[in-house]
Amino acid sequence: MENKKLTWKHYLGIAVVAVLVIYFVIGFYFSKKFFWGTKINGMNVAGKTVDEVVEIFNKNASDYSLTIRERKGKTETLTSDQVKTKFEGADEIKQIKEDQGSFGWIKGLFGTEHYDNVTMYSYDTKSFNKAYKKLGAFNSKKMIKTANAKPVYKDGKFIIQKEEEGTELKEDIAAKKIGQAVKDGIPSISLDKENCYNNPEYTSKSDKLVSLTKEMNKKLKGSITYKFGKQVVVLDKNTYSSWLKTKKDYSGYKVDKNAMENWLLKFMYKYNTQYGWHKFKTHDGRTKKIYGGPYGWRISKDKEMASVKKMLKEGTTETREPYWREKAKVYDGVNGDIGDTYVEVDMGAQTVYYYKKGKLKFATACVTGKLTADRKTLECVAYILYKQPSATLSGQGYSSDVKYWMPFIGNVGFHSAPWRGSFGGSEYVSNGSHGCVNLPTSSAATLYKLVSQGDPVVTYY
């Protein structure tokens, strides 16, 4: 028998048969298993059966946890035990395998068998709501408030204080994003990247804010230095910088008139002495605090306000006394602004004393107002309004001609009282004057020569 030689056609046929056998063997292998290159939601499932893949996903669901990355470097975790996750994609995985069939396995060699939209997890809504609300990120008491960058005054100029990102959540959005992350089975979520926080409208780089800060610094030029008595008070940018208030949209600024007026009122309250308290050392060494009376210093509010406004507008610099509406003899002298030349009326002792340059020059007994509400001589610090050699004093039920009239507050003053037979003692209690200080005629004449218009008059009991 003659042996036939195999040709290339024979070899080709054998190869084709071998390939077909291998192809069908491999196809049979993949009849219940996923092809090479198959990934489901990023997990490599090549060579695994549907049941094996479902089991893996079920186990992942029971072990699932979501790391929540928050601002300020904080992280928190939700676990499957808290939200009760379940894998819901078993039917979809089964359908994927059915769609693959058995003999399309060759496609897997090209790595194209990726399925990224398979349903992952569900969760128990009640458990989820309870769990996420317990997260620190959702605790309103612990949230750091968001704040815009803003101009602040420091070390002589306005600088931009950096914004505060804060940790104020958009709670509804955050809850939805976290819930979706659980459903998708992803391991972590950044609340910042998912835009779950409120953000500042203006940052330190905002053009409007940078421009506004430059404009406000241009305003910090003027000053007023007040010098009076021993006092030196400086009104400069360290004070009025706080009066510059920015608009909410940082489109400009304005001077807070209320803040400016409050500063001026406090300045006046501190340094005005008219109608205020006076500390006075009496002829016998006692220290009296006497309130009220027209004597003293009083700042002119209108003139000072106009001057401060001008300084702010034009950036002027000046050193001066306040604009006084009323002036006293001194500001920081003996007995404060009373000085060392004054008339003292000790109504308890019913005696008038006249001091000049700190030395007693004259004393006399007197009779002051009767101790009734309508006639009592007031305790106060006043001053000699003027001097008049004679006058007629009249009131309800009386009219008297007097000599040496020296009024010191309203229609109350020193004068002669020739109708009286005695002075001093307790005469004033039941038979006092209508408020004036009655003097013997000779004493009134002496005092008239000694005092000058504007001399302080201190009356006390």
Side-chain angles (χ1 to χ4, degrees), residues 179-198:
Q180 190 59 51
V182 173
K183 287 182 178 180
D184 292 342
I186 63 177
S188 68
I189 181 175
S190 167
L191 296 184
D192 214 348
K193 290 182 179 179
E194 294 294 334
N195 195 28
C196 295
Y197 289 104
N198 291 322

Side-chain angles (χ1 to χ4, degrees), residues 287-402:
T287 298
K288 298 282 291 183
K289 289 187 73 175
I290 303 167
Y291 183 78
Y295 179 82
W297 299 84
R298 189 171 192 84
I299 296 168
S300 171
K301 180 184 175 184
D302 291 343
K303 287 185 177 181
E304 278 303 336
M305 183 66 80
S307 176
V308 170
K309 287 180 179 178
K310 180 181 178 182
M311 179 269 292
L312 289 174
K313 182 179 180 180
E314 300 178 5
T316 54
T317 300
E318 58 181 332
T319 299
R320 59 172 173 80
E321 287 194 6
Y323 291 117
W324 299 109
R325 180 178 171 184
E326 298 288 344
K327 290 185 177 183
K329 291 286 187 180
V330 294
Y331 193 88
D332 295 306
V334 177
N335 291 312
D337 64 350
I338 294 171
D340 59 5
T341 297
Y342 53 87
V343 183
E344 177 182 351
V345 183
D346 184 343
M347 293 184 285
Q350 288 291 285
T351 304
V352 174
Y353 302 89
Y354 174 75
Y355 283 84
K356 185 170 184 178
K357 294 183 180 180
K359 294 183 179 180
L360 179 64
K361 295 296 183 178
F362 174 72
T364 181
C366 66
V367 176
T368 58
K370 183 179 178 181
L371 290 185
T372 58
D374 59 332
R375 292 172 60 173
K376 182 179 180 181
T377 303
L378 296 176
E379 280 192 323
C380 67
V381 179
Y383 60 93
I384 300 296
L385 297 171
Y386 58 89
K387 298 194 301 181
Q388 192 171 312
S390 61
T392 299
L393 307 181
S394 59
Q396 187 174 359
Y398 74 93
S399 179
S400 304
D401 292 328
V402 300

Side-chain angles (χ1 to χ4, degrees), residues 267-278:
F267 177 58
M268 293 173 63
Y269 180 79
K270 183 174 182 179
Y271 294 106
N272 281 348
T273 62
Q274 188 182 45
Y275 298 109
W277 285 101
H278 293 266

Side-chain angles (χ1 to χ4, degrees), residues 149-169:
K150 62 181 180 179
V152 294
Y153 183 79
K154 185 178 180 180
D155 298 331
K157 64 180 180 179
F158 283 104
I159 61 173
I160 297 177
Q161 178 176 289
K162 188 174 172 57
E163 68 278 3
E164 171 56 66
E165 282 188 330
T167 58
E168 289 180 309
L169 274 182

Side-chain angles (χ1 to χ4, degrees), residues 51-290:
D51 289 342
E52 287 173 336
V53 173
V54 170
E55 184 180 354
I56 291 171
F57 276 109
N58 280 331
K59 185 176 187 309
N60 288 348
S62 64
D63 294 339
Y64 175 75
S65 66
L66 175 66
T67 299
I68 302 166
R69 298 198 302 275
E70 305 164 10
R71 278 184 177 170
K72 308 296 182 184
K74 293 184 179 179
T75 60
E76 297 186 82
T77 303
L78 285 181
T79 66
S80 176
D81 290 339
Q82 292 175 294
V83 300
K84 298 184 171 36
T85 50
K86 290 182 179 179
F87 178 61
E88 299 289 352
D91 290 342
E92 295 173 50
I93 290 174
K94 182 179 179 182
Q95 187 62 50
I96 290 171
K97 181 58 205 151
E98 289 179 359
D99 291 343
Q100 278 189 340
S102 300
F103 299 104
W105 57 267
I106 199 165
K107 294 185 296 181
L109 297 176
F110 301 99
T112 58
E113 296 295 290
H114 293 179
Y115 304 90
D116 296 324
N117 295 313
V118 173
T119 301
M120 285 295 286
Y121 304 145
S122 65
Y123 54 75
D124 178 71
T125 302
K126 187 175 181 180
S127 298
F128 174 77
N129 289 341
K130 183 178 179 181
Y132 90 75
K133 288 178 181 178
K134 286 185 177 181
L135 293 171
F138 286 83
N139 187 334
S140 59
K141 292 181 179 179
K142 293 183 179 180
M143 289 182 188
I144 300 171
K145 288 188 175 181
T146 300
N148 286 323
K150 62 181 180 179
V152 294
Y153 183 79
K154 185 178 180 180
D155 298 331
K157 64 180 180 179
F158 283 104
I159 61 173
I160 297 177
Q161 178 176 289
K162 188 174 172 57
E163 68 278 3
E164 171 56 66
E165 282 188 330
T167 58
E168 289 180 309
L169 274 182
K170 301 172 184 175
E171 294 187 29
D172 291 343
I173 292 175
K176 288 179 182 178
K177 294 286 187 179
I178 291 171
Q180 190 59 51
V182 173
K183 287 182 178 180
D184 292 342
I186 63 177
S188 68
I189 181 175
S190 167
L191 296 184
D192 214 348
K193 290 182 179 179
E194 294 294 334
N195 195 28
C196 295
Y197 289 104
N198 291 322
N199 290 307
E201 184 178 359
Y202 297 98
T203 71
S204 57
K205 304 297 183 182
S206 298
D207 290 341
K208 287 177 72 173
L209 182 54
V210 172
S211 177
L212 176 61
T213 305
K214 289 179 180 178
E215 286 300 312
M216 293 176 72
N217 277 320
K218 291 178 182 179
K219 199 72 173 176
L220 304 178
K221 292 181 179 179
S223 68
I224 302 175
T225 301
Y226 299 96
K227 288 187 176 182
F228 52 103
K230 300 173 184 177
Q231 311 302 316
V232 178
V233 180
V234 179
L235 171 59
D236 62 8
K237 58 187 178 182
N238 291 320
T239 297
Y240 63 70
S241 58
S242 65
W243 305 349
L244 304 185
K245 305 297 183 182
T246 58
K247 295 181 180 179
K248 287 185 178 180
D249 64 354
Y250 292 156
S251 61
Y253 68 93
K254 63 179 181 179
V255 176
D256 186 337
K257 293 181 179 179
N258 288 331
M260 177 171 61
E261 184 174 23
N262 286 340
W263 177 86
L264 181 55
L265 290 174
K266 288 179 182 179
F267 177 58
M268 293 173 63
Y269 180 79
K270 183 174 182 179
Y271 294 106
N272 281 348
T273 62
Q274 188 182 45
Y275 298 109
W277 285 101
H278 293 266
K279 187 180 287 187
F280 179 74
K281 190 171 184 179
T282 66
H283 62 94
D284 54 0
R286 291 173 292 153
T287 298
K288 298 282 291 183
K289 289 187 73 175
I290 303 167

